[in-house]
Amino acid sequence: MDALKKFFWFCSGANIVLLQRAPTEHNKYQGIGATVFFTGLFAVISGGYALYYIFNDAISIWRISAGLIFGLIWGAMIFNLDRYIVSSMKKNSNFWNEIKLALPRIILATIIAFVISKPLELQIFHTSIEYELELMKQQELKAQEDALTNRFRLQIASLSNEISGLKNEIDSKANYRNQLDEVARREADGSGGTMKRGAATIYNLKKGDAIKAQAELENASNKNQPLILSKQKEKDILLTLVDSLKSTVKRGSFDGFDKRLAALGNISAKNNTIAMASLMVMLLFIAIELAPVLVKLLSGRGPYDELLEMEEHKFEMLCMEQMATLNQATYEKLQITIETGNQALQDELESNKELMKEIHVAKKELTKEMVNAWKQEELSNIRLKQPRRKVAEV
């Protein structure tokens, strides 16, 4: 029991060491952790179910394996997000500041709940969805067949109109011939026309019109029948082609995840009861997902929050102390460096002074030697000039 309690504490994101020092908070964080855990469990089922139908064309063993692996990964991710959302909420004295901090977490939790709830809704309403999927399948097949038919509709309609026109021409001449035959017959028996029985002259005239109409009928029939047969043959070829294309329409599985979502949307639009039930299921998962956040938000500041703030404050003070120590050590090292640099600079200046003195003495000696050399040179010149002057005077 203690292991289960500590596991739920871990799920809540609480510091177990600090939480053990606050007995009044044990049940609260145990409940929060259990909610986070079961939300992750629902996410495992939801993610596995969704991926199972995403890979609806694969063999069963691969579908089950993929659904199981993805469900575990998805559940672990949702569990980690929920745990982070709950553990990152800190209690302070300002309720409105807590609301501002909790708002992004509430939005994120709502999105997670919506994502989790949809696959589970599909399983809850799977009977109605299966029926709707069959209707959608038939509608899609019919739409594909109608699209194929529309490709040749104008050609078939044109041939049908031409055939009807040719037949109508024959039927019109046949009706005209029949009318003239009836008129001649009634003239012969006295029931029509002149109303005189045996009026041979008039009868022969009317009979002649009927014979002429019969000839026109035969000509039209001889002319149009081959055309009718030819156009009917073209029409039959097109109809056969349409039927063959319809037979190639893919009639595969129609149970993908997207199709099931669409089917659920159609059912909700047609049936208000299912729409309301679907909404309630989604709201239920949103409530479950938001429960830990709302518990942390609405509950008062407890001993655990005080201990946590104290521990964070101790850590902050320790960091500040270490930072101050580091700054002091850096300052002292800098001072030593500066002092060492100043001493080296002073030694170098002293050394430079001695060197400058030596240079100055050397320059003086060099100048003195140059003056002496110049002096000797000038004296030599003077001595050389004096005998010449004496010789000149003599």
Side-chain angles (χ1 to χ4, degrees):
M1 188 65 183
D2 288 340
L4 181 62
K5 181 166 64 175
K6 289 182 179 180
F7 173 72
F8 286 145
W9 287 351
F10 166 77
C11 294
S12 69
N15 187 314
I16 297 177
V17 176
L18 294 180
L19 190 58
Q20 287 176 333
R21 295 165 55 188
T24 57
E25 300 280 83
H26 287 184
N27 290 334
K28 181 175 81 171
Y29 282 90
Q30 186 176 349
I32 291 174
T35 305
V36 172
F37 170 74
F38 285 110
T39 302
L41 184 61
F42 286 139
V44 171
I45 300 171
S46 173
Y49 178 83
L51 201 75
Y52 178 80
Y53 281 101
I54 288 174
F55 291 103
N56 59 317
D57 293 331
I59 59 178
S60 297
I61 185 65
W62 287 110
R63 292 179 70 183
I64 295 173
S65 300
L68 181 61
I69 294 172
F70 178 79
L72 291 173
I73 295 173
W74 178 253
M77 186 188 73
I78 297 299
F79 170 79
N80 185 62
L81 278 175
D82 285 342
R83 186 171 179 271
Y84 167 74
I85 289 172
V86 175
S87 63
S88 62
M89 292 186 63
K90 304 292 177 59
K91 298 296 296 182
N92 53 53
S93 57
N94 193 322
F95 179 76
W96 293 110
N97 285 340
E98 292 181 8
I99 290 289
K100 292 178 183 178
L101 293 174
L103 186 59
R105 295 166 175 81
I106 292 173
I107 294 173
L108 180 59
T110 304
I111 294 172
I112 292 173
F114 180 80
V115 173
I116 292 175
S117 67
K118 275 305 172 184
L120 297 179
E121 286 181 49
L122 297 181
Q123 181 60 27
I124 292 172
F125 303 109
H126 73 277
T127 304
S128 300
I129 288 174
E130 293 293 341
Y131 179 76
E132 184 66 24
L133 282 174
E134 188 61 31
L135 294 179
M136 291 171 60
K137 181 178 181 180
Q138 297 303 324
Q139 291 173 358
E140 185 165 323
L141 288 174
K142 185 178 183 303
Q144 292 178 359
E145 291 176 353
D146 290 343
L148 290 173
T149 302
N150 288 335
R151 288 175 56 187
F152 303 96
R153 181 175 58 82
L154 294 178
Q155 293 174 264
I156 294 173
S158 177
L159 290 172
S160 297
N161 291 335
E162 291 177 9
I163 292 171
S164 297
L166 294 172
K167 288 182 177 180
N168 288 337
E169 184 180 353
I170 294 174
D171 292 340
S172 175
K173 291 185 179 298
N175 291 334
Y176 183 64
R177 186 276 316 272
N178 292 337
Q179 290 176 3
L180 293 180
D181 276 342
E182 180 64 19
V183 170
R185 185 189 62 77
R186 295 178 65 188
E187 184 65 41
D189 61 15
S191 60
T194 60
M195 305 298 289
K196 294 180 180 180
R197 186 179 180 85
T201 304
I202 297 175
Y203 167 75
N204 290 331
L205 291 174
K206 292 184 177 181
K207 186 63 177 176
D209 292 338
I211 292 171
K212 183 178 178 182
Q214 175 65 31
E216 292 178 357
L217 174 61
E218 291 175 355
N219 290 334
S221 180
N222 293 333
K223 176 184 176 183
N224 291 354
Q225 282 299 337
L227 294 175
I228 292 172
L229 293 174
S230 175
K231 294 185 181 299
Q232 184 64 47
K233 185 176 180 181
E234 291 182 33
K235 180 180 175 181
D236 292 341
I237 291 173
L238 289 177
L239 292 174
T240 303
L241 177 60
V242 171
D243 291 338
S244 64
L245 291 175
K246 287 181 180 179
S247 64
T248 62
V249 174
K250 186 178 180 181
R251 289 172 169 80
S253 58
F254 200 82
D255 60 347
F257 187 73
D258 57 335
K259 296 294 190 297
R260 289 181 173 271
L261 282 176
L264 180 60
N266 293 342
I267 295 170
S268 300
K270 296 175 185 177
N271 192 319
N272 291 332
T273 302
I274 293 181
M276 184 61 67
S278 176
L279 178 61
M280 291 298 104
V281 170
M282 185 177 68
L283 291 177
L284 173 63
F285 278 96
I286 291 176
I288 293 173
E289 183 68 28
L290 290 179
V293 178
L294 294 177
V295 168
K296 288 289 293 285
L297 184 64
L298 298 178
S299 61
R301 186 179 175 87
Y304 173 77
D305 300 302
E306 299 290 347
L307 290 171
L308 182 62
E309 184 175 357
M310 186 184 302
E311 194 68 22
E312 290 178 348
H313 183 68
K314 286 170 60 178
F315 180 76
E316 184 179 354
M317 291 297 100
L318 179 62
C319 290
M320 292 177 65
E321 182 180 352
Q322 291 178 349
M323 186 65 71
T325 303
L326 180 62
N327 290 338
Q328 182 64 28
T330 304
Y331 175 75
E332 292 176 356
K333 185 177 180 181
L334 182 62
Q335 288 295 110
I336 292 172
T337 303
I338 292 173
E339 292 175 1
T340 303
N342 289 338
Q343 184 63 40
L345 181 61
Q346 188 67 28
D347 293 342
E348 185 177 356
L349 289 175
E350 291 295 332
S351 176
N352 289 339
K353 285 181 180 179
E354 294 296 329
L355 181 62
M356 292 299 294
K357 287 180 180 179
E358 293 179 1
I359 293 173
H360 181 68
V361 171
K363 282 184 176 180
K364 288 177 67 177
E365 293 178 354
L366 180 62
T367 304
K368 186 176 181 181
E369 290 293 332
M370 292 175 64
V371 170
N372 290 332
W374 175 78
K375 180 179 178 182
Q376 294 296 329
E377 184 179 357
E378 289 296 323
L379 288 174
S380 298
N381 292 334
I382 293 171
R383 291 191 186 102
L384 291 174
K385 290 179 180 179
Q386 283 179 354
R388 292 178 182 176
R389 289 179 181 175
K390 289 181 179 181
V391 171
E393 291 176 356
V394 175

